[in-house]
């Protein structure tokens, strides 16, 4: 179903109204048109169709039509099992920030080895949601020499004045951010307002082991990838023990996890045109698997 939740929100949402009814109405009208003009929707009540959205409201948008919500394959970045995401039917999509349409150039070069990574773990970001608020309350500024956790006030890594990231241009802030990733063994990837975080893909490209700090997140490509071989999962309740948990991982295990990161990087890479086993094909493979899960009863 080639509709864009982003475009629908731009078209129908009244700023600060928090009213999603027009969005749901648009999706409902769209599906009704598809069902009335083509025979394919009605033969399976939408179960052999899929939608894709990385907008936070993607899951809500699918509620605009009961069959789309109940039967359709929803390919979503916001893959929260506590909010109705069903891993056997729906598809979890990796989230990635493409600032200018391409993978940031700082992530395209070779990844530094473990000896060139003085930081145990790194995070910089805002208090978007209760998970990040908890993380910042416990770890912001506590140990910047080995466990740097910042709330937007990321120090410059490029020399010159020592101003915080709030006072520097976007490109400079981005360079500093990725420089910290390249100097860290682990990259903290806490949920924000929604469960997914672009930090997961950024960490993989930076050769930094992702630390998934979330509850209810259905991980992308989990049908074929063993996430425990290239990432660390930490329940939200264990945030106060985060440094202790990561310090307890032996160096040999960190190297094994980084080997896993290198192996899966191709699956989290966007190519133009798409190439075999890249992110585009991994998403399509996940959709195909869900279609196999559905059986038409005659």
């Amino acid at each position: 179903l080639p509709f864009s939740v982003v475009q629908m929100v731009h078209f129908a949402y009244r700023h600060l109204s928090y009213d999603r009814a027009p969005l749901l109405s648009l999706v409902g009208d769209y599906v009704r048109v598809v069902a009335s003009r083509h025979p394919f929707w009605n033969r399976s009540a939408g179960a052999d169709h899929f939608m894709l959205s990385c907008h936070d409201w993607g899951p809500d948008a699918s509620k605009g039509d009961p069959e789309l919500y109940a039967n359709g394959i929803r390919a979503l970045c916001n893959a929260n099992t506590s909010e109705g995401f069903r891993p056997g039917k729906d598809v979890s999509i990796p989230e990635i920030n493409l600032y200018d349409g391409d993978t940031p150039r700082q992530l395209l070069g070779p990844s530094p080895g473990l000896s060139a990574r003085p930081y145990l773990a790194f995070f910089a970001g805002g208090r978007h949601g209760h998970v990040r608020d908890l993380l910042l309350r416990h770890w912001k500024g506590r140990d910047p020499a080995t466990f740097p956790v910042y709330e937007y006030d990321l120090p410059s890594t490029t020399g010159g004045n020592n101003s915080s990231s709030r006072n520097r241009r976007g490109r400079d802030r981005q360079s500093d951010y990725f420089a910290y990733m390249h100097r860290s063994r682990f990259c903290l990837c806490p949920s924000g307002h929604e469960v997914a975080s672009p930090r997961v893909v950024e960490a993989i490209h930076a050769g930094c082991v992702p630390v998934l700090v979330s509850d209810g997140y259905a991980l992308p490509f989990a049908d074929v990838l063993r996430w425990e071989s290239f990432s660390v999962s930490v329940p939200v309740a264990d945030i106060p023990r985060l440094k202790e948990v990561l310090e307890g991982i032996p160096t040999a295990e960190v190297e094994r996890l980084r080997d896993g990161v290198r192996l899966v990087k191709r699956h989290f890479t966007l190519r133009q045109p798409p190439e075999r086993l890249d992110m585009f094909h991994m998403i399509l493979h996940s959709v195909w698997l869900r279609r196999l899960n559905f059986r038409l009863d005659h």
Side-chain angles (χ1 to χ4, degrees), residues 12-286:
Y13 177 64
R14 189 160 50 87
H15 184 56
L16 296 180
S17 69
Y18 303 104
D19 180 13
R20 303 183 190 183
L23 172 63
L24 271 64
S25 179
L26 273 175
V27 173
D29 289 343
Y30 182 95
V31 174
R32 279 191 290 275
V33 169
V34 169
S36 66
R37 292 184 179 178
H38 307 284
F40 311 110
W41 182 274
N42 298 316
R43 69 183 179 185
S44 66
D48 55 1
H49 288 65
F50 74 96
M51 62 165 283
L52 185 146
S53 176
C54 271
H55 195 283
D56 289 353
W57 293 355
D60 281 347
S62 68
K63 297 176 183 177
D65 182 88
E67 291 182 338
L68 173 60
Y69 183 77
N71 305 326
I73 300 168
R74 302 180 305 157
L76 305 169
C77 284
N78 185 16
N80 192 338
T81 57
S82 70
E83 296 178 357
F85 185 91
R86 293 153 57 188
K89 179 186 79 71
D90 300 324
V91 172
S92 178
I93 301 296
E95 186 171 317
I96 181 170
N97 281 328
L98 299 175
Y99 299 95
D100 57 5
D102 296 308
T103 301
R105 59 178 177 77
Q106 295 93 337
L107 296 178
L108 297 178
S111 170
L114 210 57
S115 61
R117 294 176 180 265
Y119 301 129
L120 175 65
F122 161 70
F123 172 81
R127 296 178 185 266
H128 302 155
H130 74 282
V131 179
R132 291 200 203 171
D133 182 64
L134 186 61
L135 175 68
L136 288 166
R137 279 194 286 116
H138 273 280
W139 294 108
K140 177 185 174 182
R142 285 185 64 174
D143 187 2
T146 61
F147 200 78
V149 173
Y150 296 100
E151 184 183 3
Y152 290 131
D153 51 351
L154 187 63
S156 173
T157 62
T158 56
N161 64 37
N162 197 30
S163 60
S164 74
S165 63
R166 286 183 181 274
N167 301 319
R168 298 195 307 280
R169 293 178 302 172
R171 191 171 297 276
D172 291 336
R173 292 198 302 268
Q174 183 179 323
S175 295
D176 291 334
Y177 179 81
F178 293 132
Y180 270 89
M181 279 193 159
H182 277 124
R183 300 182 70 192
S184 302
R185 296 184 170 202
F186 297 96
C187 287
L188 306 182
C189 306
S191 295
H193 290 308
E194 309 298 345
V195 289
S197 169
R199 288 168 177 79
V200 177
V201 174
E202 292 166 351
I204 289 172
H205 281 264
C208 183
V209 178
V211 179
L212 310 166
V213 187
S214 62
D215 291 329
Y217 183 27
L219 296 170
F221 315 145
D223 302 285
V224 292
L225 298 183
R226 293 175 54 249
W227 278 81
E228 66 273 15
S229 69
F230 61 92
S231 69
V232 176
S233 291
V234 178
V236 173
D238 285 346
I239 284 178
R241 298 180 52 248
L242 198 50
K243 186 178 178 183
E244 175 189 344
V245 169
L246 297 180
E247 285 180 332
I249 300 176
T251 300
E253 175 66 6
V254 178
E255 288 285 19
R256 186 189 70 80
L257 290 168
R258 292 190 69 243
D259 287 342
V261 167
R262 283 190 287 270
L263 286 173
V264 301
K265 180 179 176 179
R266 63 189 300 189
H267 304 310
F268 293 90
T269 300
L270 288 168
R271 305 286 190 187
Q272 288 291 346
E275 296 179 5
R276 184 173 179 268
L277 299 178
D278 70 357
M279 188 188 293
F280 178 82
H281 285 94
M282 292 293 287
I283 293 171
L284 285 186
H285 181 259
S286 295

